[in-house]
Amino acid sequence: MDGFQRRREQKKRNILEAALTLFMEYGISKVSISEIAEEANVSQVTIYNYFESKHRLIHDTFIYYVDKASSDFEKIVYSDIPFPEKIKEIIFNKKEVARQINDEFYQYLMKEYSTEGNYIEKIYVQKAVPYFTFLFKEGKEQGYIDSSLSDEAILFYVQMLKDFIQREDVYQKILPLTEDITNIFFYGIMGKQNN
């Protein structure tokens, strides 16, 4: 990648990061292209050159957010920190996102998530399943997860949760429960460890 292409990609990333920051705080409808341009330190024309429309920018920001969340999860799963700390960090991250995300933006993400063949589903199959498989294997090897539980059963349970959360009547009210649900999931298969 030459210098021009690198600068172009960095500018695009800056726009996506600015849009994500503003959407997380204020939602989608209250944020204008001019506010995103100001946050990203670019002109509105530059945003339209990269994304063509606000709708396209919203869609690309959604993909950027999902990729970023997947990358953050991967870093925790494959890190050298002890298994119980990984679980605490995953729970903390979920709690922080639930606390910080604007409800309108969250509803948009979940509506996208519930459509057939959506991007989150692809990431789930390609990345999340292998991450979970690695995490469960490590937890079993270290004695934190009941080794008599099959990986298939645990992944089936994860799939059930994922499928249930995709229902509109569920995702509309789940955000305040994110930390509790994550705690129940992890400590339900591990047994809460004494600190």
Side-chain angles (χ1 to χ4, degrees), residues 49-67:
N49 284 338
Y50 283 93
F51 300 100
E52 297 166 14
S53 66
K54 184 176 179 183
H55 178 74
R56 182 65 194 199
L57 175 59
I58 293 165
H59 175 75
D60 287 1
T61 303
F62 164 72
I63 289 174
Y64 177 74
Y65 175 76
V66 171
D67 287 344

Side-chain angles (χ1 to χ4, degrees), residues 23-24 27 101-108 171-172 175:
F23 292 157
M24 289 283 282
I101 194 167
N102 176 278
D103 191 58
E104 182 198 13
F105 186 57
Y106 170 77
Q107 296 297 329
Y108 173 83
Y171 73 66
Q172 287 184 340
L175 195 58

Side-chain angles (χ1 to χ4, degrees), residues 134-189:
F134 178 87
L135 192 63
F136 299 146
K137 181 176 183 276
E138 181 182 54
K140 284 179 179 182
E141 287 171 355
Q142 295 179 16
Y144 291 104
I145 293 179
D146 183 346
S147 61
S148 70
L149 295 174
S150 70
D151 290 345
E152 293 78 20
I154 297 171
L155 289 172
F156 185 79
Y157 186 73
V158 171
Q159 181 73 37
M160 283 188 333
L161 284 173
K162 186 185 75 59
D163 290 349
F164 187 66
I165 289 169
Q166 286 178 294
R167 288 182 23 191
E168 189 171 357
D169 62 316
V170 174
Y171 73 66
Q172 287 184 340
K173 57 187 173 198
I174 203 169
L175 195 58
L177 306 173
T178 301
E179 183 182 8
D180 287 346
I181 291 167
T182 309
N183 269 310
I184 290 167
F185 174 75
F186 281 112
Y187 293 121
I189 63 170

